[in-house]
Amino acid sequence: MARPHQQAITSAAAPPRTARTAGSKLVEPKQERAVITRTRILHAAAEIFAEQGYPRTSLADIAARVGMTKGAVYFHFSDKDDLATAIVEGFYTRWPELLGEVKAMNLDPLATLTELLDRTERAFHSDVMVQAAARLQSERSVIKSNLPLPYQDWIDRSTVLIAAAQEKGQVRTDLSAGDLARVVISAFFGMQHVSSVLHDRKDQAQRWTDMKLVVLGALKAP
Amino acid sequence: MARPHQQAITSAAAPPRTARTAGSKLVEPKQERAVITRTRILHAAAEIFAEQGYPRTSLADIAARVGMTKGAVYFHFSDKDDLATAIVEGFYTRWPELLGEVKAMNLDPLATLTELLDRTERAFHSDVMVQAAARLQSERSVIKSNLPLPYQDWIDRSTVLIAAAQEKGQVRTDLSAGDLARVVISAFFGMQHVSSVLHDRKDQAQRWTDMKLVVLGALKAP
Amino acid sequence: MARPHQQAITSAAAPPRTARTAGSKLVEPKQERAVITRTRILHAAAEIFAEQGYPRTSLADIAARVGMTKGAVYFHFSDKDDLATAIVEGFYTRWPELLGEVKAMNLDPLATLTELLDRTERAFHSDVMVQAAARLQSERSVIKSNLPLPYQDWIDRSTVLIAAAQEKGQVRTDLSAGDLARVVISAFFGMQHVSSVLHDRKDQAQRWTDMKLVVLGALKAP
Amino acid sequence: MARPHQQAITSAAAPPRTARTAGSKLVEPKQERAVITRTRILHAAAEIFAEQGYPRTSLADIAARVGMTKGAVYFHFSDKDDLATAIVEGFYTRWPELLGEVKAMNLDPLATLTELLDRTERAFHSDVMVQAAARLQSERSVIKSNLPLPYQDWIDRSTVLIAAAQEKGQVRTDLSAGDLARVVISAFFGMQHVSSVLHDRKDQAQRWTDMKLVVLGALKAP
DNA sequence: ACCTCCGGGACGTCCCGTTTAT
DNA sequence: ATAAACGGGACGTCCCGGAGGT
């Protein structure tokens, strides 16, 4: 069960989109420093958002934590919303990649889903950006700009996996793949949310183990 | 399957406990008008909180909706937090009563739990106060004062019921009653939250039906 | 030529619209203090607007000058624009009254126009509110909200007077009354503006005398 | 009545004074490109200043319109004020030249003054730089640096012309040449200002015609 | 007792006009 | 000449006490 890739799930730590391929002209000729700064700001923002939530976090707080001025933050992000959006999107754009990695393991569909959720669960208590993204999503109605719609992507991808598992006779068919996916994803996020509110995620791993036994177990074809 | 108790789940809509019977002096001899005003404020606040969330709701908004001045609101509630707390507590104090009602139906433990959650689910899309309470809870970290700790009460009461069901051999015993309760409650609240965010609760009844099949079904002893 | 009514031209000094007629119920039951405060704010704002112009005047400046906080100012005026508008409108709403007063003197049309402009000229260097209004108008494009359209009202009323004078054979008829009015009003406001910019209005009375000789003199029928 | 000199009145559009004749080294051997860039910036700035006024025009706006960065603008102009000043001065330094051209026509003094104002009037609605200069002057108090004092130059030069005309018996002498000049110039600028505010200069030519009839007509000796 | 009118501070966001590093 | 970072305010507006009516 050892997972060698305990790395962050968000794109912030991944090579940013300005990466120059060998010898080619820069795509976005930002200076190195800028991308670093941008990442630092994003990280600081994620920390404070995760701690205090969106509305109680002021731009001044964020700037102070990175040791810069508000103006500097404003140079990189047009808005407080922009910051939040960047954090959340960093999380979302990373998901397809995560799915790709897991698929490369060639597990059967149900195991793939499980592995995916396992990794996500770990991200929830190891990666500040993910925590921030989750929290920002739960406060999404407070944020003016349109954050990407949450959950839906997970539901869609899980639906595909579950449908494949049904095809193989691994999963019950009295409910559609979509319905089952919604149950699983809702339960998963409910789990992390309750653990976060009640026990600061300290019991999250255990809760997830329990939930797997019950919910994922209940998927199996009789 | 008739539901005679389609009434609101919160105490705010029920006759407030300070106006027992005509003429009897009580501990809090508030004038009739004051009680009514208080309730109206609470209701208006709940509506706006449910729509916009706590931080974007200003006292001026609330006062405007009840057609009063901010000062008037201030007379009844010491604080904006106080308002939020009152709404949430109105919800919580109603729960024991709800459990009592259901217990009076003399169902077996598992059916009792189911009935309880069924009623709660309905409250979530019919009662503004409940919606407001849920939302305020999800934004609890933004609220200074200490809201009652959420979920824990549900978990505790569900634990008792599940333990009883285990005793009777109705429910699996590979997980403790407490663990199972946490799974159920987390899944339940995850369900309502996802439905609320994604589809404005319009599919919530269906989602709950699905979830009962999967999660509550998975409780049954093999 | 003595003018007993050297009083302010703007409504701010005139009894505010909340005035209670003897014995009647209050029209707008504001507290006495409020109207006083409002007037004080308006006056302070006018002073600073007149000195520094709209964009360099901050709400904090105004609040400081009246010895209040911004919050207090905000209670009386919803906006910085609102303040500016109030000042300008105070000026405009006073105009019909002024015309009424002069008409009561039963002068012939041309003398009426002259008297009207004489009084206005005096107001320009004796009444801060008027100075502020003039300046705000000249900066109107910088102000978001819609100030009343300037000059047009003067032009219209002057047109009527000039037309009457033409009827009587007092005024030349090679140009229409409207065209003549535009010339007179433009010249008048050009005069006050140039005097204000160049000599801080110190020579304004003299300039107006000169201009009357030339421009109003040129109106006369040959 | 043909107008051969329909060209811009400001020096910005004319070859700048640092590039006298081809090949001649000068005191300021600026690179060609720099001069062009400077002019482009000035023009863009003038456009935006004329549209929005000084305070609402940001350096970013200007830089964007010329397709450069703020830093580039900063290279050519030390200051936002510097830009404004350059525009206004471009206007002023062009005036003596204009007067020279008209004098070369050998008209009598009064006709010279008329021709001068005619040309200026046309510039007001055809040349953005002039419009910008006029507007900046009207907002002069919000600009920190000292713009050249407006109007005074016109008044002085007009005084000379009018005095000459008085000498010739063309112009009335009951008022001094200076006083008459002030009347004419004030009226002229009042005219353009009112037309600009009220009708976006669309009726300016007509207004000027009317005003000439009245005001310049009134100069004539009886 | 209940409610209104006023007024008080306190930030938070936005963004602007600027210099340093490249 | 660009890209990055800097401070510094301005405006809005929010939540909230007290004076005073009814």
Side-chain angles (χ1 to χ4, degrees), chain C residues 56 135 141 151 182 193, chain D residues 135 141-142 151 193 207:
Chain C
R56 290 180 80 97
R135 175 139 191 191
S141 52
Y151 312 124
R182 267 183 282 262
H193 180 242
Chain D
R135 175 141 190 192
S141 55
V142 299
Y151 312 124
H193 180 242
R207 291 302 143 247

Side-chain angles (χ1 to χ4, degrees), chain A residues 23-218:
Chain A
S24 71
K25 296 288 186 188
L26 304 185
V27 181
E28 292 189 8
K30 290 182 179 175
Q31 296 182 210
E32 282 296 324
R33 185 180 47 149
V35 288
I36 293 175
T37 303
R38 197 187 142 93
T39 307
R40 281 177 54 216
I41 294 173
L42 228 35
H43 244 90
E47 282 176 25
I48 314 191
F49 281 148
E51 283 169 25
Q52 313 195 337
Y54 182 85
R56 291 179 80 96
T57 301
S58 78
L59 281 190
D61 293 344
I62 297 172
R65 177 152 323 189
V66 279
M68 308 177 80
T69 63
K70 281 182 295 178
V73 175
Y74 191 80
F75 175 79
H76 291 280
F77 300 92
S78 62
D79 228 294
K80 191 178 164 186
D81 290 357
D82 194 25
L83 259 169
T85 307
I87 289 173
V88 173
E89 281 179 346
F91 182 32
Y92 282 78
T93 60
R94 182 81 179 111
W95 251 70
E97 307 173 25
L98 189 64
L99 181 54
E101 290 175 24
V102 174
K103 273 191 173 154
M105 298 170 71
N106 267 327
L107 306 170
D108 67 54
L110 207 49
T112 302
L113 179 58
T114 307
E115 174 64 19
L116 209 50
L117 292 175
D118 277 346
R119 293 189 177 209
T120 306
E121 184 274 326
R122 282 199 300 276
F124 266 114
H125 62 225
S126 67
D127 188 340
V128 210
M129 298 286 286
V130 176
Q131 291 168 19
R135 174 141 191 192
L136 289 170
Q137 277 295 13
S138 87
E139 292 167 349
R140 72 194 318 271
S141 51
V142 170
I143 305 176
K144 276 189 289 289
S145 96
N146 289 337
L147 260 40
L149 199 62
Y151 312 124
Q152 193 58 57
D153 195 48
W154 280 273
I155 291 173
D156 292 343
R157 296 179 193 275
S158 305
T159 300
V160 174
L161 291 171
I162 290 176
Q166 283 178 324
E167 203 103 337
K168 285 189 160 186
Q170 290 181 312
V171 162
R172 64 200 282 180
T173 53
D174 58 336
L175 285 172
S176 75
D179 290 345
L180 290 173
R182 268 183 281 263
V183 167
V184 171
I185 296 300
S186 300
F188 179 82
F189 280 96
M191 178 274 304
Q192 71 85 19
H193 180 241
V194 170
S195 171
S196 144
V197 168
L198 244 36
H199 303 103
D200 205 19
R201 295 193 199 278
K202 282 198 248 301
D203 66 337
Q204 185 179 279
Q206 185 55 47
R207 290 302 143 248
W208 175 227
T209 303
D210 296 345
M211 185 160 267
K212 273 194 289 191
L213 269 176
V214 176
V215 176
L216 291 185

Side-chain angles (χ1 to χ4, degrees), chain B residues 38-80:
Chain B
R38 197 187 143 93
T39 306
R40 282 178 54 218
I41 294 174
L42 227 37
H43 236 90
E47 282 177 23
I48 313 189
F49 281 146
E51 284 169 25
Q52 315 194 333
Y54 182 84
R56 293 181 75 104
T57 301
S58 77
L59 281 190
D61 292 343
I62 298 172
R65 180 155 318 192
V66 281
M68 311 175 80
T69 64
K70 282 183 291 181
V73 175
Y74 223 78
F75 177 79
H76 291 281
F77 299 92
S78 64
D79 225 290
K80 189 179 167 187

